Amino acid sequence: MSGRAKLTLFAALATLLTSWSLNPLVDSQAWLLQAALLLALQSAVGAGARRLPLARTLTVAAQALVSLLVLAFLYAGKGESHGDGPLAYLVTDFGALFGQGVRDVGEFAIPAPLTDGIKLLLVSGVLLIGLLVDTLAVTLRTAAAAGLPLLALYSVASGLAGGGDASWFSFLLAGCGYLLLLLSEGRDRLAQWGRVFGATPRRGAADSGLGNGAGGQATAPVKFGRRIGAVTLGLALAVPAVLPSLGGGLLGGAQEAEDGGGSGGTISAVNPLVSLQSNLNAQDNRVLLKYRTNSPQQGDQYLRIVALDEFNGVKWEASGRALIDVPEELPAPPGLRAPVSGTAVEVTTSLTAADYFTQRYLPMPYPATSVNIGGKWRFEPVGRTLVGDQLGRDRFQNVQGAQYTVRSLLLKPTAQQLQKAPEPDPAIRQEYTKLPDNLPPVVAERARQVTQGAKDDYTRAVKLQDYFAVNGGFRYNTKTASGTGPQAVARFLEDKEGFCVHFAFSMAAMSRSLGIPARVAVGFTPGEKQSDGNVTVSMRDAHAWPELYFEGVGWTRFEPTPRSGINIPDYSRAQTPATQPSAPAPLPSQSSAAPSTAPSATPECPPALKKLGECDTAAPAQKAGDGGGPSVTTVLGWAAVAVAVLGLPLLPLLWRTRLRARRLATGEVLTAWRELGDTAWDAGVVPDGALSPRRTASRIVDLGRLEPEPAAAVHRVAGAVERTLYAPPGAEVSYPELADDVLLARTGLLASADRLPRLRALLLPRSAARISWALSARWSAVTSAASTRLTAARLRLPLRSRG
């Protein structure tokens, strides 16, 4: 393999090893294999373009063009295309998916679900960095400068991931990749000056002799570079581990959240819709929570995580709020007064979270009056949520494996109480009716059309709920792209297809346009009751719903999502038999194709819900203990990876064992002599083709420090080589003990070597260099033949033109 081909290979390897640092950003590593294959293709295109040869700019352009075409064909059809024909299929759709990936990055927290958009961003980013590294290291021959794009890739990934327990491993891979790239360039530059003294000869070493003079192995200058790189990388890993941590106090700032006291601190604007869509589409549907409650209406007990109260023109999110210590008794819910408070019932719920559920917000019924939980938690009074406090650098309290008890109020407002609710507080109306300036006009227009004729906020809210859930023709589909911005709301009103996020965000935005204070709550539906009295909440119970504010009641849940298993609140059902805007019958109505919000026994079920398993309400619920273990596919996949990782170091050993058996099975003296030479090479005796077989045998015996019996075997093999080479024509050379003498000499060489050289001779044999020589020879033959044919074709062209 030529020096430039090696440099191309190590440039791609350095990019791939650095790309490993992106793995913590997503919840699946399936993208990495695709990135590796496309990176190999891009590097192969560059290697081929440089062999032609092409101009440097044309080489880079060819690599970029091929990469873009392959990406377009792989990801076309997965975005939102609004055109027809090949151009829309390859360009418009590809660009739409890229934009969707950008929106997904802003929407999901780390680790984000591996959506098609995010996968496209990761793969295309790796290809871009790979192109820059290949251009700098191979095309422009400046491998040192190629470290800049590698550093940029690692820095961005490490900064977003926030370190972690595996950050040292990512750094080790990235550093090794860069050092290998520098080493490859250094060897290539030295090779241009001629033979490196002390290095293993690449060619010209005859198979009939071994040796390098009496001096043995000389150290090549390249070895010093390897040692310096290894020491530097080791220091970079070891020094941070032994140095004291530089906390905030040393730099002049207060250490965050180490004492757990005080009432300061704020909760940043975090979008808690982490993996909600992927949870709804999950195949294993693991159980996240188990609870037991004394509530008489368990079907109405939603577990609320957080409220999204700010619609900022890009997305719904939780606004920044001040945090306080968790009080023993939580303050009264805002807006709750008699007579609704007089009919409220206090219920107790005991919850247990799964060990793999790492949510930082605490799921609990609303409105909670007290919470009993261990650990470091803070309370946000406006949203009435508990948030995990900071435990240390990059570590926060979460609900993982927690057992806690919540006392909450079961409110029972009536439709009449909501209808006669007084005007809300002006401060609440002002804050919770804000809408972004870029909200499409269709949102407010549709809200006015739907609520036409309603004379109070309650009636308007019920009409909005029924528009989505009953008579608007909307369909529930978790495969729909989960955009949350103003344009996504307008697109949802046009397409009439989405899942709970779309329904909740759209109803909240339309309610605000009508002057009704509204926000969006995120959490879980009540779950599935088991035979032992416990209730299990699984991944597919993740849900979002709108909360509207009514004075005297407070924040009130509505249900616009037409999904089976979801209960419409009693207070939002029909007031009189004459007009039934929200009947308790199964959804949708007979005139609508929308799915039902209640379990339906009728045979009609939309295909989308059949795929999601939403039609069969009698399906057995998953037991709490079944969701924690990995699937069979995951176990087999990790087992295959473990076998590959453990078996990879054994490949040279297996290759040498197989090659040795094949050589000795032939019974040919020269083939056995070649095996003896490679065995001595593996043991540290570097070959030298300038010596005769007899001199070579003496050198093997001396440098290998062989005992008399193995030394005699080496001399017998050398004598057979001389008889084979110099015997008269027709003379027969018989040597039945040939294979035994070679094996005896090998045993002696390994026995006289120290432990580390013996392990290297077995696991990393030096004679494996013959593989690269053979591949390089084949590649040279192929390229030479192709060049000859191309030259012949060019010479024939003028003759044809003359004719």
Side-chain angles (χ1 to χ4, degrees), residues 270-326:
V270 179
N271 191 338
L273 298 174
V274 181
S275 305
L276 191 149
Q277 185 174 16
S278 61
N279 287 345
L280 293 174
N281 292 320
Q283 299 296 323
D284 54 355
N285 194 27
R286 293 183 293 175
V287 172
L288 301 179
L289 292 162
K290 290 194 304 181
Y291 69 89
R292 185 182 291 268
T293 182
N294 61 357
S295 173
Q297 297 178 355
Q298 182 268 326
D300 290 330
Q301 182 152 303
Y302 281 50
L303 299 180
R304 187 171 169 275
I305 295 177
V306 70
L308 311 181
D309 53 8
E310 183 176 331
F311 194 19
N312 57 13
V314 179
K315 58 188 176 182
W316 287 85
E317 61 185 8
S319 57
R321 303 285 187 183
L323 299 177
I324 63 174
D325 291 340
V326 181

Side-chain angles (χ1 to χ4, degrees), residues 648-654 656 682 756-766 768:
L648 190 61
L650 300 179
L651 289 180
L653 173 63
L654 298 177
R656 282 293 288 126
D682 295 339
L756 290 180
R758 187 187 310 127
L759 287 177
R760 178 174 179 178
L762 293 174
L763 300 178
L764 294 173
R766 295 175 174 85

Side-chain angles (χ1 to χ4, degrees), residues 693-707:
R694 185 171 302 181
R695 289 285 305 277
T696 299
S698 299
R699 186 170 181 273
I700 292 176
V701 171
D702 294 337
L703 296 180
R705 304 191 301 274
L706 293 180
E707 297 293 333

Side-chain angles (χ1 to χ4, degrees), residues 646-683:
L646 296 177
L648 190 61
L650 300 179
L651 289 180
L653 173 63
L654 298 177
W655 170 76
R656 282 293 288 126
T657 302
R658 175 62 177 167
L659 180 62
R660 183 181 308 109
R662 291 177 56 187
R663 284 175 171 176
L664 298 182
T666 61
E668 297 179 359
V669 175
L670 295 181
T671 304
W673 177 249
R674 181 183 300 178
E675 172 58 32
L676 180 59
D678 284 350
T679 300
W681 188 8
D682 295 339

